Amino acid sequence: MRTLTELAPEASQQAPSLRAETGSGAAGQSRIHESAVKHVTGRAAYIDDIPCPADTLHLALGLSPVAHGRLTRLDLEKVKAAPGVVDVITIVDVPGHTDIGPVFPGDPLFVDDEISYVGQVIFAVAAESYQAARRAVTLAVVEIDEQPASLDPVAAAERGDFVRPTHHHQSGDWEQALRDATYVLEGEQFVGGQEHFYLEGQACLVTPSEDEGVVIHTSNQHPSETQKLVAEVLDIPFHAVTAEMRRMGGGFGGKETQASPWACIAALVARRTGRAAKLRLPRAEDMRATGKRHPFHNRYRLGIDDQGVLVGGEITVIGDCGYSPDLSDAVVDRAMFHSDNAYSLGQARVTGHRAKTHTASNTAFRGFGGPQGVMIIEQVMDDIARHIGEDPLTVRKRNLYRPGRDVTHYGQRVEQLQLLHDLIAELEQSSDYWARRQAISDFNRTSPIIKKGLALTPVKFGISFTVQHLNQAGALLHVYTDGSVMINHGGTEMGQGLHTKVCQVVARELGLDIERVRITATRTDKVPNTSPTAASSGADLNGQAAKDAAAKLRERLFDFAAEHYRLDRDGMRLEGGALVAGQGEAERRLPWAELVQAAYLGRVSLSEKGFYATPLIHYDRNTGKGRPFYYYAHGAAVSEVEVDTLSGEYRVSRVDILHDVGDSLNPAIDIGQIEGAFIQGMGWMTSEELKWNDAGRLVSDGPATYKIPAFGDLPPVMNVKLLEGHPNSQASIYRSKAVGEPPFMLGISVWSALRDALASLADYRVAPQLDTPATPERVLMVAQALRDAQGAA
Ligand code: MTE
Ligand code: HPA
Ligand code: MOS
């Protein structure tokens, strides 16, 4: 292991120029996160930092201790009588909707009689203090007629126990392809789930408003949906509810739908008591009560030719959805859309099942099912390589989309066909792949216990919500008479730098220094009917909406200036903090603040709204065909691992990443996203293990038992570069590309490198079965099995 001081020089070498702040900070330039200083000095306010009104009530929840059963008795008399308790609520106290399913029904706000998972909310207590509420919860008398819990998604799928119907993609005659193939390979895998482990847990503070409504402060990726659900639960109009969100301490998908229940419960208390209500889940309850990344069981039967190129066949993915639909239809769709990753499947059928189990309802998590789909085909690539005796990188390259093989199994044509070929070629060079491959083979031949592994895996990730109507955004721009600018939009900030990027867009459109542009909290009464900040599309959608608003305002100011100052309207521009008209000798410059002041006196509106809807996209669920994605974002990573095959312990010694963000909106932030996503993906593949006991209770419910990557797990060498010279082929915001989720899948290269190291135990002739997370225990068991098989042979 390296020491801190050894690591430091390398860390500081990383792209120093990108860390620098230069120029106006407009879109396209590196610029620190708008809250960076506040983040590191503790001045950035999260929900728990908001000063509560003096009479605030604190909430605690009574959660189901069993996974499946019927509630036969609920006696809350002692709870109500406990010191400090002001209100206790259950399902019967809900005046409006009792089901808060976000897309399809199935999520009761409180247990009615059927219990579906450990951690399901049965009742809520509001008390003068948090401690009083917590103590009172324990006084409840709860009797449950416990029934066997269904915890095996494969068995559920076999029984046809689904939360949503099965869906297929089909291109060509997959059965004929299997008959025509030189070889037919088969395999399966288990891909584990993942806890979001946002540092700020689920939290909200709700205050009653003058009339029948509420104001909700919520750590939330989807304020508009929470507004809607709270209104429906309270049975009041949407306009009586305002949701506000300044920033989250991480969301990662876990606050797309699953931030709403807490706001609904707190809102009920606030309306019933006329007092503010605060609800913040303790970590263990947060982990029990909320859904996670879907675990998947995947299978394939695919034919290849003698070169190892896929000719077709079938892939089946089974998502473990938990007890209700939540977002699972779209999550399993995305797993299906990405079961090809970067490779043409040939003539294939892809089937996606949505299995129902008695666990919390699994939900969005960075990649949104995409990573689980990518996993199956990346296993296939390694399996083919072992079968035909070629390097896995050679097999991957042969299978990439290319001319003549450029249409996905769901009918979308891959537009930037050459990009991934170029990107991989560049990374192959810069990471020194082939020399290291040779060195590793030599090392492994002479090292009996420590085995090294190397893998390059690519990603091609579809950008757009696969639910078409979500691909829209709005923005509201105000210019004040001192020339300062306020931009509001529907996106939420969760650390990803969205607000920084949107400020940069406005600064660029108005020719201003970014210091003059500010964003405050996202609020449903400023920009209405917003989509969740998800699908990596925050900057794409809200950036375009902000640009639209800024461009409209700019044109209005040009009209005003042309008339008021008698300037030439043609060629007028905003740059360097001034309006510029005319060329050369005739050039006139008017400082921005002066222009704005004059426009105000001239009674010109200094406020504008913007709107954007992504063009071109469509998907027909009946035929399983369409163009669900506006474009694809790409990348590739090379990971090297060292495995101790006697203990199963391993470390990631080096990572090289080359990633496609088109023309970056902010290279420094994009590199930060890539680093974070890679490490989070690596954690998913390696150390983050969710464990439920046989009764369906999550036992890995805190940081002591659930291991996210720590500082010491970071690869000592990690080179991250942005691909240059490939602007987006579609007219996205300044030809940039979304970055939030795609690099998460680069973490898969660590898993593939582990398989590579293990395969060396069988002279690279066997593709070891390695389920995920590939914990040291799993790695050890595979190593032993390979050794035993070698010994027997
Ligand atoms: N980065 C940070 N720091 N914190 C987060 O919660 N969420 C990720 C990604 N990057 C996340 C993050 C997820 S799941 C998504 S969909 C995108 O950010 C959402 O933001 P964007 O669309 O603005 O990129
Ligand atoms: N990605 C993320 N969140 C979503 C999506 C998606 O494709 N669809 C609905 N919510
Ligand atoms: Mo991200 S999983 O789309 O919130």
Side-chain angles (χ1 to χ4, degrees):
M1 257 300 138
R2 291 181 171 236
T3 62
L4 257 171
T5 37
E6 273 180 304
L7 279 170
E10 279 156 358
S12 64
Q13 274 169 22
Q14 280 172 26
S17 63
L18 294 177
R19 304 284 186 205
E21 278 174 64
T22 50
S24 66
Q29 297 168 10
S30 281
R31 178 76 197 182
I32 65 167
H33 192 285
E34 49 63 35
S35 289
V37 175
K38 287 187 271 187
H39 288 153
V40 297
T41 54
R43 281 184 291 121
Y46 299 89
I47 297 297
D48 212 25
D49 300 312
I50 300 173
C52 294
D55 68 348
T56 300
L57 292 172
H58 299 267
L59 270 63
L61 303 172
L63 304 180
S64 167
V66 307
H68 185 209
R70 281 195 180 277
L71 185 62
T72 50
R73 182 164 170 232
L74 179 62
D75 181 350
L76 299 173
E77 286 316 308
K78 285 202 185 113
V79 181
K80 287 180 183 154
V85 170
V86 173
D87 199 10
V88 180
I89 54 172
T90 68
I91 189 90
V92 301
D93 300 307
V94 179
H97 293 195
T98 54
D99 192 316
I100 57 163
V103 188
F104 307 100
D107 296 296
L109 185 56
F110 294 102
V111 166
D112 191 350
D113 62 342
E114 165 141 24
I115 288 178
S116 306
Y117 69 100
V118 176
Q120 192 168 10
V121 184
I122 300 175
F123 64 96
V125 179
E128 301 290 349
S129 76
Y130 178 57
Q131 283 73 14
R134 293 266 287 174
R135 267 195 291 272
V137 164
T138 63
L139 302 175
V141 178
V142 182
E143 285 173 16
I144 297 165
D145 173 17
E146 192 169 352
Q147 287 155 27
S150 161
L151 299 168
D152 178 353
V154 177
E158 274 158 14
R159 284 197 306 274
D161 206 356
F162 298 127
V163 296
R164 296 285 307 152
T166 295
H167 185 50
H168 299 282
H169 295 150
Q170 189 166 333
S171 64
D173 188 343
W174 61 278
E175 286 165 303
Q176 188 59 40
L178 283 174
R179 284 192 288 272
D180 293 345
T182 311
Y183 309 106
V184 173
L185 304 187
E186 286 184 64
E188 58 185 323
Q189 64 182 182
F190 170 71
V191 180
Q194 188 176 25
E195 160 61 33
H196 299 88
F197 229 103
Y198 23 60
L199 293 185
E200 179 194 37
Q202 302 283 356
C204 63
L205 172 66
V206 180
T207 45
S209 56
E210 268 181 14
D211 42 37
E212 77 277 40
V214 285
V215 176
I216 308 163
H217 288 87
T218 164
S219 186
N220 200 312
Q221 290 174 245
H222 200 351
S224 281
E225 186 166 85
T226 298
Q227 173 198 23
K228 163 183 183 287
L229 292 170
V230 165
E232 288 174 350
V233 163
L234 293 176
D235 198 19
I236 57 178
F238 294 9
H239 68 205
V241 178
T242 299
E244 170 169 335
M245 153 83 297
R246 171 58 184 95
R247 64 170 67 77
M248 279 161 273
F252 304 114
K255 296 169 182 171
E256 180 170 340
T257 59
Q258 304 214 358
S260 285
W262 327 116
C264 291
I265 291 170
L268 280 168
V269 168
R271 273 324 320 171
R272 284 163 60 87
T273 61
R275 295 168 66 172
K278 180 169 174 178
L279 178 45
R280 178 173 55 87
L281 295 186
R283 180 65 62 174
E285 287 186 11
D286 193 315
M287 289 181 76
R288 285 225 166 80
T290 63
K292 316 189 175 311
R293 178 184 296 285
H294 294 58
F296 267 72
H297 289 264
N298 299 329
R299 283 196 291 270
Y300 76 86
R301 190 154 64 99
L302 290 166
I304 52 174
D305 66 15
D306 59 354
Q307 293 296 297
V309 175
L310 291 168
V311 294
E314 63 170 337
I315 289 176
T316 303
V317 302
I318 303 172
D320 179 348
C321 301
Y323 86 101
S324 75
D326 184 81
L327 297 169
S328 293
D329 233 9
V331 167
V332 176
D333 277 357
R334 196 172 269 274
M336 297 168 65
F337 286 129
H338 289 82
S339 63
D340 60 341
N341 192 17
Y343 319 109
S344 167
L345 296 179
Q347 313 207 54
R349 184 178 73 170
V350 175
T351 301
H353 297 300
R354 287 95 172 129
K356 175 178 171 162
T357 53
H358 290 115
T359 60
S361 195
N362 288 323
T363 193
F365 194 143
R366 207 169 195 167
F368 203 77
Q372 295 97 313
V374 168
M375 275 296 286
I376 188 66
I377 202 67
E378 290 304 331
Q379 166 158 337
V380 170
M381 289 299 128
D382 289 338
D383 292 357
I384 295 173
R386 303 313 171 203
H387 189 81
I388 65 170
E390 296 249 23
D391 192 275
L393 177 54
T394 307
V395 171
R396 286 188 163 89
K397 284 167 39 176
R398 279 186 196 152
N399 276 286
L400 291 176
Y401 281 102
R402 61 181 66 250
R405 285 171 65 90
D406 61 347
V407 179
T408 64
H409 54 287
Y410 48 89
Q412 176 156 354
R413 188 171 299 280
V414 179
E415 285 174 353
Q416 290 176 295
L417 259 193
Q418 189 55 32
L419 189 150
L420 208 39
H421 294 262
D422 294 350
L423 187 150
I424 289 174
E426 187 180 331
L427 182 64
E428 221 173 320
Q429 280 276 317
S430 65
S431 69
D432 217 8
Y433 181 91
W434 293 106
R436 285 164 68 201
R437 168 60 75 204
Q438 186 59 52
I440 286 170
S441 305
D442 295 346
F443 175 90
N444 285 345
R445 252 195 303 282
T446 56
S447 171
I449 304 300
I450 305 292
K451 297 289 184 186
K452 293 187 180 179
L454 184 71
L456 182 153
T457 63
V459 63
K460 163 185 135 288
F461 193 76
I463 302 298
S464 291
F465 285 97
T466 59
V467 176
Q468 190 189 21
H469 74 267
L470 295 178
N471 296 286
Q472 58 172 312
L476 180 64
L477 180 79
H478 298 324
V479 178
Y480 296 99
T481 51
D482 65 348
S484 65
V485 178
M486 171 74 79
I487 176 75
N488 230 270
H489 60 86
T492 58
E493 176 65 41
M494 56 193 105
Q496 84 277 38
L498 173 61
H499 284 353
T500 313
K501 288 180 172 178
V502 174
C503 282
Q504 290 181 284
V505 167
V506 172
R508 178 152 152 181
E509 288 301 310
L510 300 182
L512 296 175
D513 190 288
I514 194 176
E515 300 300 339
R516 288 192 112 130
V517 185
R518 188 161 295 180
I519 295 191
T520 53
T522 310
R523 279 179 67 111
T524 53
D525 59 355
K526 285 192 175 166
V527 177
N529 312 322
T530 56
S531 293
T533 308
S536 302
S537 61
D540 284 29
L541 299 174
N542 297 289
Q544 292 280 27
K547 179 172 183 248
D548 179 48
K552 284 188 208 151
L553 187 75
R554 184 185 56 213
E555 295 310 308
R556 188 149 72 235
L557 289 172
F558 285 170
D559 290 344
F560 165 76
E563 199 188 303
H564 186 77
Y565 298 103
R566 310 223 171 281
L567 296 172
D568 189 1
R569 177 79 169 69
D570 289 343
M572 213 179 250
R573 56 214 181 266
L574 290 172
E575 61 185 37
L579 179 139
V580 187
Q583 305 283 344
E585 291 285 284
E587 188 183 285
R588 286 269 316 269
R589 296 184 81 86
L590 190 67
W592 167 254
E594 232 171 85
L595 169 70
V596 164
Q597 180 67 25
Y600 168 73
L601 294 174
R603 298 187 299 172
V604 173
S605 167
L606 294 173
S607 180
E608 189 54 82
K609 64 184 165 50
F611 185 76
Y612 178 73
T614 313
L616 301 180
I617 48 177
H618 59 91
Y619 179 64
D620 180 352
R621 234 161 167 282
N622 292 320
T623 58
K625 290 259 186 279
R627 181 207 176 116
F629 305 117
Y630 187 35
Y631 62 88
Y632 296 103
H634 310 84
V638 177
S639 289
E640 182 173 336
V641 297
E642 283 171 64
V643 182
D644 178 337
T645 56
L646 280 189
S647 70
E649 285 182 286
Y650 55 82
R651 63 181 172 192
V652 182
S653 39
R654 175 171 166 184
V655 173
D656 294 79
I657 293 173
L658 185 58
H659 198 80
D660 158 37
V661 291
D663 286 346
S664 174
L665 288 175
N666 183 326
I669 282 184
D670 285 352
I671 284 184
Q673 282 289 295
I674 295 164
E675 290 170 343
F678 176 86
I679 297 297
Q680 196 171 38
M682 178 185 87
W684 172 54
M685 288 281 93
T686 57
S687 64
E688 296 184 36
E689 187 164 37
L690 291 164
K691 280 274 188 198
W692 287 266
N693 68 14
D694 292 344
R697 183 183 176 89
L698 183 70
V699 289
S700 53
D701 65 352
T705 44
Y706 185 81
K707 293 295 180 189
I708 62 172
F711 182 83
D713 299 315
L714 303 187
V717 181
M718 186 164 174
N719 301 311
V720 179
K721 259 195 72 189
L722 303 179
L723 181 72
E724 280 170 19
H726 290 270
N728 196 335
S729 61
Q730 289 300 330
S732 60
I733 182 81
Y734 306 132
R735 303 273 168 184
S736 67
K737 286 190 180 179
V739 70
E741 295 168 292
F744 179 91
M745 276 145 280
L746 299 178
I748 292 172
S749 60
V750 173
W751 170 78
S752 181
L754 287 170
R755 286 187 90 201
D756 186 58
L758 288 165
S760 75
L761 290 170
D763 204 20
Y764 299 103
R765 281 176 288 105
V766 176
Q769 172 77 28
L770 182 62
D771 290 343
T772 71
T775 55
E777 291 85 345
R778 279 210 170 97
V779 169
L780 178 61
M781 286 192 289
V782 172
Q784 269 171 353
L786 285 167
R787 279 220 169 83
D788 292 349
Q790 289 301 102

